[in-house]
Amino acid sequence: MSPHIETFEFDEISEPKVAKAISHYPAGKQASAVKTLLDLAQRQVGRMTGIAWLPQPALDCVAKRLAIAPMRVYEIATFYTMFNLKPVGKYHLQVCTTTPCWLRGSDEVVSACKKASGIDHFGGSSADGLFTLTEVECMGACVAAPILQVNDDYYEDLDTAKTEALLEDLKAGKPQPPAGSLAGRQSSAPISGQTVLTDKAE
């Protein structure tokens, strides 16, 4: 799905952000910038190849830049699910299946993702390289469960029809719709609409 990457260095777009991230920490504590640098590296690989992931040369570049052992970087990169250690599709579908989302129908979302993408298991990618499906833990948006994260964006209040329609639009090359509730919910308000402070105080 992605060309092999032999070497990696931060480019002119990433470099100012790398320097700024490191500058937030005192001398000797620059390792605290590791997650920021990993994110910048992953986004740069996305610009380079069309697929946002972290090949080993990128991990090693981060370690070198922070003057820490590569293993320290590998530990972070393997712990957080937002870091992709293998190539993913153009649209990375991350489905929350933790209890609140499950109670609100995450099984439907998973089934709809599999049907629309042709992927039959978590961790798999579609034959056309368009989608990768990943199971994730709580994404902190339980009020609007169930949640599907597509790349950086959350889509909320999903069901089978809404999920399939979203993926079919992406397959058709339509622009990715605005993130948020696909049921018209405003922020974290009740799905039925505002229920308090509807009248002026007497």
Side-chain angles (χ1 to χ4, degrees):
M1 290 172 58
S2 174
H4 184 67
I5 296 176
E6 295 284 351
T7 61
F8 179 90
E9 296 292 338
F10 286 112
D11 62 16
E12 67 278 1
I13 297 174
S14 300
E15 182 55 41
K17 297 174 183 177
V18 168
K20 183 176 181 181
I22 294 173
S23 74
H24 290 308
Y25 302 99
K29 302 295 182 181
Q30 66 272 14
S32 296
V34 63
K35 288 191 291 183
T36 302
L37 268 62
L38 285 170
D39 180 67
L40 290 169
Q42 181 164 273
R43 292 177 189 278
Q44 180 177 319
V45 173
R47 292 194 304 273
M48 294 165 54
T49 69
I51 299 171
W53 68 294
L54 287 167
Q56 185 159 345
L59 299 174
D60 293 341
C61 176
V62 169
K64 181 178 179 181
R65 187 61 184 271
L66 295 176
I68 58 178
M71 183 55 69
R72 297 282 305 280
V73 176
Y74 305 161
E75 289 169 347
I76 299 296
T78 56
F79 180 81
Y80 291 98
T81 58
M82 72 277 284
F83 299 128
N84 306 316
L85 298 181
K86 62 180 182 179
V88 296
K90 179 179 180 181
Y91 299 109
H92 189 187
L93 310 176
Q94 299 165 81
V95 186
C96 177
T97 58
T98 315
T99 305
C101 279
W102 176 73
L103 290 170
R104 294 270 297 158
S106 66
D107 285 351
E108 292 181 37
V109 176
V110 172
S111 295
C113 286
K114 289 180 177 179
K115 178 181 177 182
S117 68
I119 300 169
D120 62 5
H121 65 282
F122 287 122
S125 295
S126 58
D128 59 8
L130 201 58
F131 298 109
T132 295
L133 180 62
T134 302
E135 182 179 29
V136 296
E137 294 298 320
C138 183
M139 295 192 286
C142 306
V143 69
I147 308 298
L148 169 63
Q149 183 177 347
V150 180
N151 296 340
D152 289 337
D153 293 327
Y154 280 16
Y155 293 94
E156 307 166 344
D157 294 311
L158 294 168
D159 57 22
T160 298
K162 292 183 179 70
T163 304
E164 288 183 357
L166 171 63
L167 269 62
E168 290 300 330
D169 283 349
L170 296 177
K171 285 166 68 175
K174 295 182 180 180
Q176 194 168 322
S181 173
L182 296 187
R185 185 196 301 267
Q186 181 180 0
S187 187
S188 59
I191 193 66
S192 58
Q194 189 175 6
T195 60
V196 295
L197 301 178
T198 57
D199 299 315
K200 292 183 180 180
E202 297 294 335

